[in-house]
Amino acid sequence: MMNNRKIKRLAKPALLLVLVLTLVSSCEEFFHPDQALIIMEDDFHKTWNEYRSAEMGLYSLQQELVEQLVVLGELRGDLLEITDGADNDLKEIYNFSISSGNKYASPNNFYMLIAACNNLALKLESEIPEVLDKSAPETQYDRLYGEVLCMRAWTYFTAVKIYGEVPYIWPSLTSADEINAYLQSPQTYYDVSEIIYSIDGHNNDTITHDTIILERALVNMPMVIDTFTRQLPDRIKAVGVVHNLDNGDQTWDVTVWNTGAYRALMGEMHLFNSNLGEAYSYFSPILNFNDPGASGIKYGLDNKFSYDRWISIFEGVEVDEHLLTLKFDKSYQQQHSLQTLFSVQSPNQYMLKPTRIAIENWETIWSETDIRKNASNPEQTYMAQKGVPGDFYRGNMVSYAYMRGSEMLTNDEVRRILSLKSIGNDREVEILSKGVDTVVYKYSINKDIFDHDANFILYRASAIHLYAAEIYAYWLHDVNGNLNTDVNKSLKLLNNGAYKDPPDGSQMGVRGRVGFGSADDAIYIENQIYQHDPYSNEITGYLDFTSDLPGKQAYLEDQIITERARELAFEGMRFYDLMRISKKRGDPSYLADKVAAKFSGAKAEQIRQHLMDEANWYVPLPEVTNWSEDLPE
Amino acid sequence: MNRITIHIFTFLITLALCPTLHAQDSLQVRGLIRGINKAPLPGASVSVEGILTAPVITDSTGTFLIPVPDLEVTLLISPMGEYKAKKVYLNKRDYLELTLSPEDLRDGQDQTAYIFYEKELRDFASSASFPETDLLDKVPESSVESYFKGLVPGMWTTGMSGMPGSGAVSFLRGMKSMHANTQPLYIVDGLPLDLPGTMESLLDGNSYNSLASINPSDITDITIDKDYLNAPIFGMRGSNGIVFIETMKPTEVETLIDVSLKTGITTAPELLPQLNADQYRTYAKEVLMSSGLPEESFRDEYPGLYAAPGDPNYKMYGNNTNWQSQAFRNALMYDVYFRLLGGDEIARYGLSAGYLSKEGIVDQSSFDRFSIRFVGSFNIFTWLRLSVSTSLTSNSSSLKESARSAQTSPILSGLAKNPLMIPYQFDEEGNQLLALQDVEELGVSNTAATIQSFEASNRNNRFLTNFRIEADINQDLKFISLIGINFNSLNEDIFMPNLGMELYYNDEAYNVAKSISNYFFAFSNNNYLSYVKVIDRAHSIEANAGLRINSNRYESDWGIAKNSHESDEYRDLQSGTSNLNEMGGTNGKWNRMALYGSFTYAFKERYSLNMSITGENSTRIGPKAENVSFISELPLGLFYGAGVSWRVSNESFLKDINWIQELKLRVNYGKTGNDDIGNYNAFNYFYLNHYRSTTGAAPGPMVDETLTYEDNFQFSTGIDFTTSGNRLALNFDYFKHRIENLFLFYTQPYYLGHEYLPMNSGSMQNTGFEGKVSGRIIQSTSFSWDLWLNVGTFVNQITEIEGGEVITPFKGGAFISKEGEAVLNFYGYEYEGVFTSSGDAVAAGLSNRRGDMFGAGDAIYKDISGPEGVPDKRIDDYDKTLIGSPLPDYFGGVGTRFRYKNWTLDAIFQWVYGKEVYNYLRYQNEKMTGLNNQSSATLNRWNYEGQQTNVPRALWDDPQGNSDFSTRWIEDGSYLKLKNLTLGYQLPDGFLVFRNAEFYVTASNLFVLTSYLGYDPEFAFSYQTMEQGIDYGMTPFSRTVMLGIKLGL
């Protein structure tokens, strides 16, 4: 009886307890609650949509790099300089004296992107092993895998251009344990056979076998190029997830890594290694793009972006010109601060501006010039018509602008200034240009001062064409069984365009598109090349290259690099263009002279001396004292 | 006399009727009972615990004689009138002399609710404080923890700000974490409250105060437990001390009604001395000239500076306004409280309702609280009882931005706005209008606009309910189940207007509407068996074992809309410009489950052994945590405590020393945890980002899967001493606290892709003591004088930290946490004055980090070191050093109470000594780098070659670094404050229809003794450890005078 009562007393609370315990213990959710705004790794990578999110995650991280790419690629070159309002970090970059903690020098964002690539590549390899099987039918996963590999290669390649050498983080390190295991694993040796190509890409290549210690591990540019130019063709089945199946938006094709962008990256890496033949093999399909399904000629340098349509390259995502573009959009909070740096209109801070050199590249190019050449007696060559100064399709109001307060100087006003200048009326010029600032305008075209969302183009057709022109300037290649140069092809790419094989009349060439491709304004290579006063266009002398092919080639290459300055100014490539040519010629003074030219007085000489040492071309990496001791046990 | 006669009569009759009982007892105890001033106390009844005999009564000489079965029984003494009853363990004595304590004096035999039971204060084997609650509703504090300032030994409590409704930050026995929670766990009627930091605010300088939803008038008992003896029962939440709060108890069987009314006024603070209009003009021109641009350009750009009498714009610029006075006002408050208690033997209830309306001294700020609470207790069967405590609180506040954002803070704009203007516009005839003046070319928001047009309000609704079911299984064993629900919502709306204000969001927005809604829900369930047994009146055993679970869900959603309409008429989220809208939110879930037990064994009230143990799972712990045991993949942390206490006063060698009432030694050691390490930092996850119009996901930071709770260990020993009748009481405690597995954000090498890795690393310790002495200095029938004093101190030391030191930057400066030093040391330059002349500067040859030489009028910083380890004449990171600690050396309080007849006068002082603070407000106010108005201290700025001064030259934008973070901005933040002075008058019983009635007047913050140069040395920017000691310009505390009346029916 007593027992029964006891049991009864206990019954209800016990029941309650049991109920609670059941609720708790039967519920996995109690011990592993779902979180809504983040995704636990265990719950991720289950569906295609999740893989697609991971893909988008990469581009979002790549967006974070844009400001750094422009600042490091241009402010150290000869086209961009600081204003009085520049902050200390920019001043340091400009003066090549970069201190630790400089936000533009930080490699963090590169490695955040590398970590994300490693993570996704590893996930694809383990979860979707078909991506590694070249014989399996091609799927979206293969295309995604291609994107990830391209993205990782691009990131390393871009980083190594900036830092000279970079740590090589290959595995997907996602936990402190893995990091420690990686850092403490036996140090491996990595055998690289390095080929130093001759300037024409063919004769007297030097092949060395270097055993390089991969000490967790700083790799230099040849190693990065060697690694990825092998890895990409070896592993990639396809590149570029086809997004327009879902949304019908063609612009998706070029806002993610795609076959064209892959080729551009591969070609570029080979070009930086002076492997001209390999580089051209990747550029050629872009130059000679022929897709029966596509409307119009893709990458064709035809009239689509000619003359006053050239500006539209920067107004939207242009699938026929862009190979890879990072699209920004304020309404999705995807912005960068390029406008803050460049625009003079408050609250933008106008910290960077184009150099005089950059502006003169556009202002001192002349069209409709009529030179009556006398090849046998160059002294008697004279100018019948000096022509019209200025590149107004790519220059004023496009790549740069003159601003008087918030008012932009019109092309007519600038033309007037240039024409006054050409007749030496400096006083009038001074009056007209009083209170005027020059600004980089490329990232402000059609933008409100608060927009900060101009797209950033990583690869576009004319850049590739100019690379090809650069190759043809020196390249010895096989023509009907003979090794020949074809400098003319280089000129065609530059000037007026009938470079295709077979020739296609719709091509206009890089200069031809904007009115500088015809006989009276094209770049020419002859025994005598006449020099002009930049502002009056008066002939000041001539260079004689009679029987001097190397001289002509070097002259042509200089012209190509200058053309890149007009075509691709402020797109983050200038410093590496100068670097590439300097290295190819084995002459640091090429870069040092160009960069020093934007400084004046003793400062110019100091910078020149500084840059004569190739080691100073690179941004210092944060100090890592001991690779394996930097991490917690 | 009459009653005594009856007692004696009863006694005699009892004796007559029970001769047998009497005859059996050969043992008798004689005793003498005294009252105040040792006067013999007649008429007290004395009986033997646990034995049914008639009580004896003390005679007119205060003596008694009582038969006892043996000499180890406990006598119960129930005095007449104004004395407290007492239990005395005979301890083999046959003669007893003892002094009872007056009813208004705390006694060790008072009871308080503790974890499992009501417990006598003297039986606490751990160090605990019991702040008296009788003054709690006579002070103008709107939440209970603010009342602890200076009151609790060992607890360093600092009010956050004078903004109404804001709370206080409390550190008990030192700093117990760097990045995890350091605030005590508040347990209200057995239900733990959410920790600070759970609810988010969009308003800078405003931290949600969880305790604002508990009406202090409802509180009856407070126990603050400092040791790790029982804290391990609360496992991963027990490390920072536990504050047990008990609200009203339904104890009455007659119906009682209490009403309390109070009203008060808080006066505007004293204003800081700023430059007047003329001084400002001179200053502004000087700083503009230092930019190196020609003066003509300023004439065009800043015509106001050059306006002279007679100029058309002189009306606008020819004033001399002190903008601070636009920000502050005298503020009113009132509070109404009603309480009803009643019931019968079966069911008893209590109901209270309160309304508080409190204005802030920053104009237009206010706090309103409406709270109701219902408590009930029901005896369902003789063996089953149910009690319920439920409360609903609705708070609404009108707030102002109070700290770092210069555009919207009335305090910052009040200091920085130029004195030339007035807040209002003029019409064409030059008459002043009511329309606010917009921001002119000299910048800085119109202070009147920050008050009148800027709006920030929040609404906090909290529902807190708690059921307790108690079932007797048998005489000794009970089953108890507690079920609690804590539902909390906080909605905040902010509107940042256009007119009169600077632009926002990098100048893109002219007006901004922001909203956030926070939602928190916690379910707690605690079930335990409780066993209490006394064997042979000598061995007492208490044992408890139980299971508790706690499940939490939190969500917050916010939206920001910009540029709705220039007129500021549309203040909602819908009206913003669509491509500027932003929204977001956070979300978290975390659960805990624990099995726990506690055991106490006491022998003859002399020795007591206490133990507690808990195994707890928290969903925040990493899957590879190392300080846990795994039970089928579930990590279980183990927490324990053990201690002994020895009541020396019951030992035979002391038993006859009558002036010692209590002498007890305690020692214990225990371990707790702190799982405030983020809900998912221990797990690999992806966070969401965007590319184009789609959602992307990128891997979160590298994860340390061993991430786990912080381990806290504490050794504590103490002594409690009380003289007879509680005339003098002394408590002293020594503690040594150690924390291991410190939760840190470790800076990773760059090549791992993420800057920080959340991890456990390093250890820290706090060593210190706290003591309290209190005494009744004078005691007579009509007059008494009490005095108490407490002091606490701790020495914090980091014993190990990854890399030897961690630098934590904050806006304007940085903290360093370095091995061998205390956590939280300001890290910057040592300021040594100003170069008097160019010659001095050249001789010193110092340059700043960019290599620019310091010249005449520039700051002199101490050149401590360089890259080579020796001074290099360059002032850069190598010259930064420890320049002050916001941790106090000593802190505590002093209080006194005078009572004369029905009058009472209380005074409570708080003092904090030996802490340094960073005066960011003064930095803003004296840095002289732009057109903001500055403090009158800048009149001493360096102006000419050879000038001896301590204030550098005015320098546009400060490229030289003269106002860098240095000892120049670090000040002594010690203070002594008269927190409360209360004068009360209690009406005689039965006045009119009232059961009792009391009038009082309280003055708060009446005076402050400090050398601090800001408004008030008492401030806390947030509950975060790493944000203490920085005065970003919080609303100061100010003098309050309050009148109140309490009536009982």
Side-chain angles (χ1 to χ4, degrees), chain A residues 246-542:
Chain A
D246 302 330
N247 52 34
D249 180 353
Q250 295 288 335
T251 65
W252 271 103
D253 294 352
V254 296
T255 56
V256 298
W257 285 94
N258 56 71
T259 311
Y262 157 72
R263 287 178 178 142
L265 171 64
M266 285 295 293
E268 194 180 38
M269 286 196 288
H270 281 301
L271 182 62
F272 270 77
N273 226 13
S274 296
N275 187 346
L276 304 183
E278 279 293 323
Y280 189 73
S281 73
Y282 285 101
F283 292 144
S284 169
I286 298 171
L287 266 47
N288 299 300
F289 189 84
N290 189 11
D291 179 358
S295 60
I297 300 167
K298 219 170 169 168
Y299 319 136
L301 303 193
D302 56 11
N303 64 7
K304 184 163 182 193
F305 301 106
S306 62
Y307 306 114
D308 53 3
R309 290 186 288 272
W310 192 84
I311 191 174
S312 62
I313 291 172
F314 305 98
E315 291 174 324
V317 178
E318 296 294 343
V319 295
D320 292 336
E321 171 76 11
H322 299 183
L323 287 107
L324 182 60
T325 298
L326 273 179
K327 192 174 188 311
F328 284 83
D329 192 339
K330 183 182 187 180
S331 45
Y332 295 104
Q333 271 105 47
Q334 292 160 40
Q335 293 174 294
H336 48 62
S337 56
L338 295 179
Q339 251 181 299
T340 310
L341 298 179
F342 292 138
S343 171
V344 74
Q345 286 171 281
S346 179
N348 295 316
Q349 291 164 352
Y350 189 47
M351 297 200 269
L352 300 178
K353 60 185 251 186
T355 56
R356 209 51 237 166
I357 297 167
I359 288 172
E360 285 183 1
N361 281 335
W362 291 293
E363 289 189 342
T364 64
I365 180 173
W366 293 70
S367 56
E368 296 163 41
T369 304
D370 186 2
I371 306 178
R372 301 290 160 85
K373 293 175 190 165
N374 186 334
S376 55
N377 192 354
E379 302 297 336
Q380 289 188 2
T381 293
Y382 68 100
M383 184 164 294
Q385 186 185 319
K386 76 173 177 181
V388 187
D391 179 347
F392 287 91
Y393 299 122
R394 296 184 297 187
N396 189 42
M397 293 181 80
V398 187
S399 294
Y400 74 98
Y402 284 102
M403 303 291 292
R404 186 181 282 125
S406 60
E407 291 291 308
M408 204 185 300
L409 261 57
T410 63
N411 280 342
D412 286 344
E413 286 172 277
V414 177
R415 280 199 180 93
R416 187 167 149 70
I417 292 171
L418 291 182
S419 91
L420 287 167
K421 240 181 187 167
S422 74
I423 56 169
N425 190 343
D426 291 341
R427 216 181 132 257
E428 194 83 352
V429 168
E430 197 179 305
I431 291 164
L432 284 175
S433 43
K434 187 169 188 285
V436 165
D437 289 317
T438 49
V439 301
V440 172
Y441 190 58
K442 232 171 199 173
Y443 299 101
S444 303
I445 295 166
N446 292 347
K447 295 290 175 198
D448 181 69
I449 53 170
F450 296 114
D451 282 351
H452 304 283
D453 64 352
N455 298 331
F456 184 74
I457 304 168
L458 288 151
Y459 292 110
R460 61 189 181 90
S462 54
I464 304 304
H465 284 73
L466 286 168
Y467 277 152
E470 197 178 309
I471 291 169
Y472 272 112
Y474 282 104
W475 188 29
L476 273 179
H477 54 107
D478 194 320
V479 181
N480 304 323
N482 298 317
L483 282 179
N484 279 332
T485 53
D486 192 354
V487 175
N488 268 340
K489 191 110 170 202
S490 184
L491 288 171
K492 284 178 188 170
L493 284 158
L494 261 179
N495 290 331
N496 55 12
Y499 58 82
K500 273 202 166 183
D501 197 17
D504 174 341
S506 66
Q507 264 62 57
M508 301 177 81
V510 174
R511 286 166 68 97
R513 276 208 299 197
V514 288
F516 297 98
S518 59
D520 54 10
D521 39 33
I523 287 167
Y524 60 94
I525 296 294
E526 287 165 3
N527 284 342
Q528 289 87 31
I529 293 169
Y530 294 92
Q531 293 175 300
H532 302 258
D533 177 89
Y535 280 101
S536 68
N537 208 25
E538 296 298 338
I539 295 171
T540 56
Y542 67 93

Side-chain angles (χ1 to χ4, degrees), chain A residues 13 30 39 173 330 334 630, chain B residues 479 508 591 686 692 702 746:
Chain A
F30 184 86
I39 307 164
L173 302 174
K330 183 182 187 180
Q334 292 160 40
D630 263 350
Chain B
F479 171 81
E508 180 168 19
N591 302 324
F686 285 73
R692 299 201 58 174
M702 302 272 168
Y746 173 71

Side-chain angles (χ1 to χ4, degrees), chain A residues 13 17 21 30 35 37 39-41 53 88 108 167 173-176 251 255 330 333-334 347 450 627 630, chain B residues 479 506 508 525 527 547 580-581 585-586 589 591 619 683-684 686 691-692 696-697 702-703 746 750-751 850:
Chain A
L17 183 65
L21 283 176
F30 184 86
Q35 310 289 348
L37 292 165
I39 307 164
M40 305 313 281
E41 193 182 41
S53 297
N88 289 325
N108 284 5
L173 302 174
T174 55
S175 74
T251 65
T255 56
K330 183 182 187 180
Q333 271 105 47
Q334 292 160 40
F450 296 114
W627 296 91
D630 263 350
Chain B
F479 171 81
N506 200 16
E508 180 168 19
N525 176 234
N527 305 292
L547 169 91
L580 297 177
N581 288 344
T586 54
K589 290 178 191 171
N591 302 324
T619 54
F683 304 91
N684 281 312
F686 285 73
Y691 181 57
R692 299 201 58 174
M702 302 272 168
V703 159
Y746 173 71
Y750 66 89
Y751 55 85
R850 284 185 301 281

Side-chain angles (χ1 to χ4, degrees), chain B residues 452-481:
Chain B
Q452 294 172 25
S453 316
F454 175 89
E455 276 182 1
S457 63
N458 71 29
R459 292 162 308 286
N460 172 216
N461 295 305
R462 160 128 42 197
F463 176 68
L464 204 59
T465 193
N466 203 348
F467 288 93
R468 181 190 163 97
I469 300 159
E470 190 177 315
D472 297 339
I473 295 165
N474 62 36
Q475 212 180 335
D476 308 316
L477 189 64
K478 281 183 198 168
F479 171 81
I480 292 132
S481 180

